[in-house]
Every structure is written in structure tokens, then in C-alpha cells.
Amino acid sequence: MSLILGLEGTAWNLSAAVVNEERVVHEAEATYKPAHGGIHPREAAQHHAAELRGVVSRVLKSLSKIDAVAFSQGPGMGPCLRTVATAARALSLALKIPLVGVNHCLAHIEIGRWQCGAEDPVVLYVSGANSQVLAYRAGRYRVLGETLDIGIGNALDKFARHLGLSHPGGPKVEELASRGTKFIHLPYVVKGMDLSFSGLVTAAKDALKVGEEKEDVCYSFQETAFAMLTEVTERAVAHLGKEEVLLAGGVGANKRLQGMLQTMCCDRGARFFVPDAKYLKDNGAMIAYLGLLMFESGETTPIEKSAVKPNFRPDEVEVGWRTVALKALSERLEE
Ligand code: ATP
Ligand code: FE2
């Protein structure tokens, strides 16, 4: 059985974990909280550099037999990615074990499939920087629809900041929204399968300016943005004839978003999966787990190809691990 160390640090959360095929064996994290405003990439990277030793030693203390070290190669903030990649390279060289560069978005998806037992879902991946609808087809996760400007998490964080709330804003907007009662019309922007959220943030700020209550604006913001996301997800399910929907990314913790997707799935007879909140947000276990899948299908990353990729897209990756899993399954069925 393989034992893989995973390092995550694309943005706010520095996190390490050790996993095997069966479970998450150890995990530890250190969270960067901006003193004011949003995430500052250089400050976050300095936080990660200062905490790396402690976080890694908490998951490695009683374990010497690690088979490979996986790290988030991208997408994410350049300074944060470089800090964590440097640590991963150093560990790989010191322990004489292979390095596995992992796509952070695909790691969000694969830990969700693992934790929930989803087989072939349409994935709604909603986090700070990203908002995408994806599905696997012919060797890759295809991006079927995505935001044309900012991610939904960033939109919520920006609006929360405007309300004077600290980062991360998503949970605070959720709390205020639960007390809102009046629906205020805000721009609903779906273009084909793509989405846009920046006009929504501006319109929500304008609504406050003309005296609307912040609870009502938060409520209307969520209703509008989440209906857009649910519409695009539903269209993907309908077009592809898939029977499962998987939620991934930090915004997935939002109960109203979960509720809308659940209703849509019930109406269509699809199954809806949400992993535990700790595996929705950024976490080291997801990097270790996708690292394990890649390592076991023979995909490792030589040092000279381990440069970070701040704009690494999920559809750039040839997915070898799913075909390996399918082959293993059909062999077992033939036995
Ligand atoms: P990525 O690199 O994948 O974009 P990320 O750095 O944004 O990841 P995540 O942990 O996946 O990190 O997501 C963080 C986002 O999730 C933040 O924008 C935060 O406000 C949002 N969020 C967290 N909890 C909630 C919630 N309950 N409702 C809405 N948004 C939430
Ligand atoms: Fe993330």
C-alpha cells in the first residue's frame, strides 16, 4: 500500500497530510488571516514559509516510509505556490522519493469522489478564485462552463469587505442572508454555459447605497448567484445525461447553495454528493490523494518539470488514473 505526503498552499491555507488508499492517516494546517482586506500573496507566502516546518513535522513525526511527495503545482498565487513547491522539492531530494505535481482543481474533485463514492459526476467547483462546471470525458476533465470574470467566493468576499466584514466573507454573508426576507432584483448573468459575477457585486453595493437592508442584499445576492450556478450545473447534467452531481470547493459549505442543488437533483432523479466541509475547502489530504492516484498510475514529476503554474487549468491534464481504476475494476469483474 502506498503512503503519500501532500502539501497544499495555493492561497490562504497551508496544509499537509499523509494518505494511503484507505484513509487520511495524518493531517495538519496553519491558516493565514489577513490583518485587513483580502489575501496578500506575498504575506501569505511568508506565512507559509514560517509555518511549513511545524505543519510538515506534525504529519511526518511517526512516519518514515513515505513513497512520494505531492504538491499543488497550480493554479494559485505565484509566491505561495513557489514556497510550497520549494519545500516539496527539498523533501523529495532529502527522502529520495518521487515528486508529484498536482492540479489543485482536480484534487478538489478527486477527494470529493473518494469521500462520497461518486463515480462519474458533473462537478460544480466553487471557491475563491474559481467557479467551474466540469465532467470527465475521453481522458480529461472538460470545463463545460465557468466564470468569465471573478470566482463566486471572491465575489462574496469582496461584497463582505464592502460591508466591513473580515476575510473570509462567504460564511458571514450566509449568516446575514439567513435573516433577509425581501428579494431585490440583481443582475443574473448566464451566457451560454458561462457566468459573470462582477456586475452582481457592483449592483449589490448600489442597493446598499439606496438604503436597502444588508440582510436583504445578502439574501438576494445568494439567491441570484446560486441560481445561476445551479442553472448551468443542471444544463450540464441534462446535456450529458449524467446521474450524479458533486459539489467541490470552499463555497460548497454554503447551505443555501447545497439546498438549491439538492432540489435540482431531486427534480431530475440525480444523486447529489457533498463531502465533509473540511474536504470542500483547501486541504492537504486532497493533494496527497490525487498524488497517490497519479503515483500509482506511474505519473511522477521530474524536478526540471516541477515549476509552478499559477494559471494551471484542469483540462490541461491528461487523466491517466481513471482509466487505470477502470482497468482494475474490469479485471476484478472478469475474475
Ligand atoms: P481555489 O484555489 O480553489 O480557488 P481557495 O483558495 O479560494 O481555492 P477554498 O477554501 O476552496 O479556497 O475557498 C475559499 C472561499 O470559500 C472563500 O471565498 C470563502 O469566502 C468561501 N466560503 C467558505 N465558506 C463559505 C460559506 N459558508 N458560504 C459561502 N462561501 C464560503
Ligand atoms: Fe481551492
Side-chain angles (χ1 to χ4, degrees), residues 1 12 60 83 100 119-120 143 156 165 177 183-185 200-201 224 226 237-239 261 278 292 326:
M1 194 172 334
W12 62 275
L60 273 184
T83 301
V100 187
E119 271 174 33
D120 188 24
V143 178
L156 290 163
L165 302 167
F183 182 76
I184 302 153
H185 184 79
L200 182 56
V201 178
T224 307
F226 296 165
V237 173
H239 281 332
L261 291 162
K278 72 173 186 175
L292 181 139
L326 278 178

Side-chain angles (χ1 to χ4, degrees), residues 109 112-113 118-124 134-136 141 237 240 242-247 271 273 322:
I109 298 175
R113 286 181 62 229
E119 271 174 33
D120 188 24
V122 165
V123 182
L124 175 62
L134 308 102
Y136 177 79
Y141 278 96
V237 173
L240 299 174
K242 301 259 187 193
E243 290 167 353
E244 299 174 332
V245 171
L246 173 69
L247 189 53
R271 281 186 299 156
F273 298 97
R322 282 190 51 149

Side-chain angles (χ1 to χ4, degrees), residues 10-12 75 104 108 125 127-130 153-154 156-157 168-171 174 249-251 253-254 280-282:
T10 53
W12 62 275
H104 174 98
H108 271 293
Y125 165 42
S127 60
N130 295 289
N154 282 353
L156 290 163
D157 293 340
E174 178 172 23
V251 182
N254 189 289
L280 279 167
K281 66 177 180 116
D282 290 354

